[in-house]
Amino acid sequence: MDLKDLIQKDRERKRKEKFEGTFLDYLELVKEDPTTPKLSHKRIYEMISRDGYETLDPEKEVRVRNIYGEKVRVYNFFKDEFFGIEKAIEEIVKYFHAASLGGEEARQMLYLVGAVGSGKSSLVEKLKSALEEREQIYALSGCPMHEEPLHLVPRHLRGQFEEELGVKIDGDLCPVCRWRLVNEYDSQYERFPVRLVSFSKRNRIGIAAVPPVDPNNQDTSVLIGSVDISKIDKYPEDDPRVLRLNGAFNVGNRGLIEFIEIFKNEIEYLHTIITATQEKVIPAPGKQNLIYFDGVIVAHSNFAEWNKFKSELTNEALLDRIVKIEIPYCMELDQEVRIYQKYIKKSHFEAHIAPGTIRFVSMFAVCSRLKETNKVDILTKMKLYNGEDVIDKGKVKKVSVQELKRDVEGEGFSGISTRFVMKAISDAIVESEHECINPLQLRDVLIRKVRQLTIADEEKKRYLTLLTDTLHKEYLKELEREIMRAFVHAYEEQAEGLFNNYVDHIEAFCNKTKLKDPVTKEEVNPDEHFMRSIEEQIGIVGEAAKGFRQDVMAYLMSMFRKNEKVAWRSYEPLKEAVENKLMASVKDLSRIVTKAKIRDKEQQQKYNVMVAKMIESGYCEHCAESLLKYAANNLWTTE
Ligand SMILES: Nc1ncnc2c1ncn2[C@@H]1O[C@H](COP(=O)(O)OP(=O)(O)OP(=O)(O)O)[C@@H](O)[C@H]1O
Ligand SMILES: [Mg+2]
């Protein structure tokens, strides 16, 4: 790409987009397109909905049925950056939708509450940056609040203007523009200049953020601007020329004002919010009248502050003007994985990350957030929340996620935060010697960091048990599987073969027929010993076998009727049995090869093939070797 060319073109585009004209010219534009003037909620709602959404249907997708049990909208605007919080996002969009239609929400503040690192700031950030990237507004030139030009229309003509233009006119001129109209334009408002401007954080146009203020210095000039003392000598006190309308409400007019950690402020400081939301006016500094304001007010904080604030009776007035939306942590494993993938992609890490590493930390984060129940163990709960089928005694476990969710309160609002995990990932990367991290190294970092946390002992113990026991074992199982998969020559073919063979035998068994021996072509009875050797892999023995075989047949028949292809992975219980059987048959061999300190030629060759296979599936030379070494010393020790 020619950069000079790019700059040239960009400048040309900007020049074209730049509108500078008089109010009269602006009126022409509005007449052409009456959707030009827009209140702030509507602008943001349209910005979000322009990208469209997808409806997840429980009738069509098992995952949706398992996790939500109802229809969910996934908004494209948020889709690539926010994961596992679709429900909360739906609520946010609903707020904007209702507000855009002029509902009471338009006169309420949006308030996001959730645990640390649950994505509150990022959600607001997303709205702000999208405003910057995609939206522009027509504003009165030189207005400190970049106000809507239609404010110029005198009250007594508004009815006629509204009819002629097909728009509704809200709001009145700010004191600065009113002064200029009279003194610079001789009240000829049609001559007042209008400009097209972009939202900009840096230039303080339409986007403002208010951090919590020191309780001893709750100076409201941060919110509404101030009187310029140096000009007081020059002009009378009530002259707008002494005003400095540079507070957050002035800057954020027509766009969005974010109150960070809002309830860290004294309540008196927040009184402006009450009039700004309800009456759509803000106080002016000094001796001026109230000023019209139109902006989206978004605030956030965590639960401790919310509870404190809520419990004080004197806060009632503000409480009544809040739309509160809870932002939970993600509790879906696959989605949690995506959060860290996004994070890694955004940073400049170059280290290799072994397969399973991000999944391991995500399991930890999700499990730490789930509450214990006596219905299922924590790992099962995690898998169910992830929309997975969990197999128990040869059958898919029938526990509804909605029921589990109903059983506990406040789930998703405590536990390990995303930020904690991100720091652990970067620590592990920085500490890694070989530009490569694996789940075991990350586990060590997590253990160390959990030990340093200042939290209740019981909670700490629970996290450490997850890391050293529950999840560690789960990972080792997976590692063992990976190693053996790498070891089994032509794994897929062998599994498929076992599966087909098993199906042939149980078909004959269920139909009470014989089958043909593939070699001798003789008619033989189904091989009970062989069938059992598969079934016992998932704990099906004795009488249960018959039922299991019938279940498998019923499943196959239903797939056949639906014209769907079956493969060895199709039916989860049988998949597990086949896989275990395959593993069992090579377990000894692979153990010997992995463990051997000195390998003979044949063993060495097998070992090399295994490493090569692992590299094929995403390991690097280093993590493949070190995980194999770990397996040799720590797996299979009891046998
Ligand atoms: N559900 C999620 N989807 C995608 N990213 C997420 C999600 N939850 C958290 N994150 C990521 O985690 C990080 C921390 O989030 P953020 O700073 O927005 O949290 P917060 O709720 O504002 O926390 P705090 O209360 O500590 O200010 C960000 O990088 C954010 O993108
Ligand atoms: Mg934050």
Side-chain angles (χ1 to χ4, degrees):
M1 193 195 332
D2 183 358
L3 289 178
K4 197 173 158 205
D5 201 37
L6 183 75
I7 296 169
Q8 214 59 83
K9 278 199 179 124
D10 183 57
R11 191 163 294 147
E12 186 61 17
R13 189 178 57 86
K14 284 219 174 100
R15 199 184 56 79
K16 274 190 197 145
E17 278 175 8
K18 226 182 207 162
F19 169 91
E20 283 198 47
T22 62
F23 181 56
L24 205 58
D25 300 325
Y26 176 66
L27 287 175
E28 284 303 317
L29 283 179
V30 177
K31 201 165 173 183
E32 248 169 60
D33 180 6
T35 66
T36 312
K38 233 175 256 152
L39 293 181
S40 54
H41 285 90
K42 194 174 170 87
R43 180 178 311 281
I44 293 186
Y45 176 66
E46 287 182 356
M47 177 175 84
I48 297 172
S49 42
R50 212 175 292 136
D51 283 359
Y53 62 83
E54 183 193 349
T55 306
L56 301 183
D57 191 343
E59 304 279 316
K60 293 191 188 131
E61 276 179 75
V62 184
R63 178 186 152 260
V64 183
R65 182 159 62 237
N66 285 353
I67 300 175
Y68 301 105
E70 56 181 353
K71 282 191 181 168
V72 205
R73 279 187 186 181
V74 178
Y75 287 90
N76 295 333
F77 180 85
F78 293 103
K79 181 177 85 175
D80 295 333
E81 283 165 70
F82 298 91
F83 312 111
I85 52 169
E86 290 81 2
K87 282 269 159 201
I89 288 176
E90 242 183 2
E91 293 290 308
I92 294 175
V93 182
K94 259 189 220 160
Y95 162 85
F96 281 107
H97 189 187
S100 76
L101 299 172
E104 179 57 23
E105 281 82 352
R107 296 175 182 276
Q108 301 245 322
M109 166 173 97
L110 175 64
Y111 167 61
L112 309 179
V113 60
V116 288
S118 59
K120 303 179 293 294
S121 300
S122 311
L123 282 164
V124 182
E125 204 51 49
K126 170 77 194 170
L127 293 175
K128 293 200 286 191
S129 52
L131 276 176
E132 284 195 303
E133 283 160 26
R134 312 181 186 184
E135 297 292 318
Q136 286 187 308
I137 43 173
Y138 290 95
L140 289 183
S141 268
C143 172
M145 293 176 66
H146 23 269
E147 68 184 310
E148 167 60 52
L150 289 174
H151 291 177
L152 285 168
V153 179
R155 279 278 157 187
H156 67 278
L157 290 179
R158 286 215 175 164
Q160 278 159 279
F161 268 79
E162 285 183 349
E163 199 164 309
E164 181 63 23
L165 298 171
V167 299
K168 187 156 174 343
I169 305 175
D170 292 288
D172 295 295
L173 282 181
C174 81
V176 174
C177 291
R178 195 176 315 123
W179 188 93
R180 287 180 57 209
L181 174 61
V182 175
N183 295 286
E184 289 177 19
Y185 300 101
D186 200 17
S187 294
Q188 293 174 351
Y189 54 90
E190 69 278 16
R191 282 171 46 215
F192 209 114
V194 171
R195 246 169 19 110
L196 183 63
V197 293
S198 298
F199 285 89
S200 163
K201 269 181 265 182
R202 219 176 42 191
N203 298 334
R204 299 176 52 94
I205 299 176
I207 299 174
V210 187
V213 186
D214 174 0
N216 300 318
N217 175 30
Q218 302 257 335
D219 180 0
T220 51
S221 66
V222 177
L223 299 178
I224 59 167
S226 57
V227 166
D228 189 345
I229 305 184
S230 66
K231 290 190 182 151
I232 283 196
D233 301 344
K234 270 213 295 232
Y235 307 116
E237 212 181 335
D238 59 355
D239 192 308
R241 280 172 294 180
V242 304
L243 292 181
R244 283 219 306 233
L245 297 182
N246 56 2
F249 279 102
N250 312 115
V251 171
N253 186 41
R254 305 196 66 189
L256 186 149
I257 302 180
E258 174 188 21
F259 279 85
I260 301 162
E261 302 284 357
I262 183 166
F263 299 128
K264 285 210 162 83
N265 294 298
E266 300 290 314
I267 180 72
E268 290 73 23
Y269 184 69
L270 301 175
H271 277 163
T272 324
I273 294 178
I274 299 181
T275 52
T277 49
Q278 207 65 36
E279 330 292 341
K280 300 197 75 162
V281 286
I282 52 169
K287 290 227 157 88
Q288 297 289 329
N289 282 333
L290 295 164
I291 306 176
Y292 174 81
F293 164 81
D294 162 52
V296 173
I297 304 177
V298 190
H300 47 92
S301 81
N302 35 42
F303 277 102
E305 264 120 27
W306 164 249
N307 289 331
K308 188 162 145 270
F309 176 81
K310 189 178 67 170
S311 64
E312 282 173 37
L313 252 128
T314 44
N315 295 339
E316 229 173 30
L318 190 55
L319 270 173
D320 202 36
R321 290 166 173 85
I322 289 177
V323 172
K324 168 174 158 263
I325 294 176
E326 297 186 346
I327 310 293
Y329 281 136
C330 169
M331 290 188 284
E332 215 181 308
L333 178 60
D334 291 342
Q335 301 299 317
E336 187 74 10
V337 167
R338 296 180 68 193
I339 296 180
Y340 306 123
Q341 282 171 341
K342 175 187 84 172
Y343 165 68
I344 290 167
K345 211 163 145 196
K346 268 193 183 166
S347 28
H348 301 286
F349 300 137
E350 278 175 11
H352 174 253
I353 298 176
T357 309
I358 299 307
R359 196 172 167 81
F360 178 79
V361 285
S362 304
M363 285 206 278
F364 174 57
V366 170
C367 284
S368 77
R369 297 163 187 169
L370 301 182
K371 301 217 160 152
E372 310 265 349
T373 151
N374 48 22
K375 289 193 175 126
V376 290
D377 63 71
I378 201 83
L379 265 180
T380 306
K381 192 171 184 180
M382 178 197 79
K383 288 178 189 167
L384 290 169
Y385 274 35
N386 197 33
E388 293 172 33
D389 283 338
V390 177
I391 307 305
D392 186 27
K393 301 199 184 64
K395 285 206 158 79
V396 175
K397 211 173 177 95
K398 291 258 178 297
V399 188
S400 112
V401 174
Q402 283 84 45
E403 185 187 320
L404 289 174
K405 284 193 175 161
R406 246 178 278 126
D407 281 355
V408 288
E409 251 174 53
E411 202 169 45
F413 298 106
S414 63
I416 289 294
S417 88
T418 40
R419 221 176 275 126
F420 181 89
V421 173
M422 289 174 185
K423 277 191 283 184
I425 295 174
S426 59
D427 279 11
I429 289 178
V430 171
E431 287 167 23
S432 73
E433 281 170 32
H434 301 273
E435 293 288 306
C436 166
I437 59 167
N438 65 46
L440 298 167
Q441 289 163 332
L442 199 45
R443 183 183 79 118
D444 290 343
V445 175
L446 284 169
I447 292 175
R448 192 180 70 217
K449 289 181 87 75
V450 167
R451 289 217 169 97
Q452 290 163 354
L453 279 175
T454 38
I455 48 171
D457 282 349
E458 205 176 310
E459 212 181 349
K460 195 177 277 193
K461 212 173 122 204
R462 190 166 91 85
Y463 295 166
L464 289 173
T465 310
L466 280 172
L467 288 170
T468 55
D469 188 54
T470 325
L471 298 176
H472 186 56
K473 283 186 185 144
E474 180 73 9
Y475 172 66
L476 291 190
K477 259 201 274 177
E478 186 48 38
L479 178 62
E480 188 175 3
R481 225 170 252 210
E482 292 260 292
I483 292 175
M484 289 206 264
R485 244 179 249 146
F487 188 79
V488 178
H489 167 70
Y491 184 82
E492 287 296 316
E493 286 88 339
Q494 289 208 37
E496 195 70 48
L498 260 181
F499 170 81
N500 287 333
N501 209 358
Y502 177 77
V503 169
D504 287 347
H505 281 259
I506 62 162
E507 190 180 8
F509 172 85
C510 291
N511 298 339
K512 301 204 172 46
T513 52
K514 296 191 180 241
L515 35 69
K516 238 189 207 133
D517 186 294
V519 187
T520 60
K521 308 280 182 228
E522 258 176 89
E523 296 253 305
V524 290
N525 283 324
D527 183 347
E528 191 62 32
H529 180 73
F530 166 67
M531 290 185 286
R532 283 187 185 264
S533 74
I534 300 243
E535 290 148 5
E536 70 192 14
Q537 300 294 336
I538 48 169
I540 290 171
V541 287
E543 279 305 297
K546 202 170 159 197
F548 180 74
R549 291 171 198 172
Q550 276 159 353
D551 286 350
V552 177
M553 283 315 290
Y555 172 81
L556 293 176
M557 287 307 287
S558 79
M559 295 295 278
F560 185 69
R561 252 180 270 121
K562 280 189 260 177
N563 240 340
E564 281 185 45
K565 212 169 132 31
V566 279
W568 76 276
R569 288 179 200 277
S570 307
Y571 187 57
E572 189 66 34
L574 189 51
K575 178 199 131 196
E576 200 164 306
V578 165
E579 190 150 54
N580 289 354
K581 166 87 180 157
L582 203 53
M583 298 293 171
S585 66
V586 296
K587 198 162 189 167
D588 288 341
L589 260 177
S590 87
R591 183 188 56 198
I592 292 165
V593 170
T594 320
K595 273 182 98 113
K597 293 228 163 48
I598 303 159
R599 302 184 181 96
D600 61 30
K601 207 170 156 199
E602 194 190 346
Q603 283 175 336
Q604 187 58 41
Q605 204 179 3
K606 281 214 160 90
Y607 183 83
N608 292 347
V609 170
M610 186 152 73
V611 172
K613 270 268 163 71
M614 285 179 77
I615 290 174
E616 237 172 66
S617 51
Y619 292 84
C620 73
E621 214 159 295
H622 184 76
C623 57
E625 296 261 0
S626 72
L627 288 171
L628 281 170
K629 205 156 158 198
Y630 183 88
N633 295 328
N634 299 277
L635 284 177
W636 307 306
T637 44
T638 51
E639 286 155 72

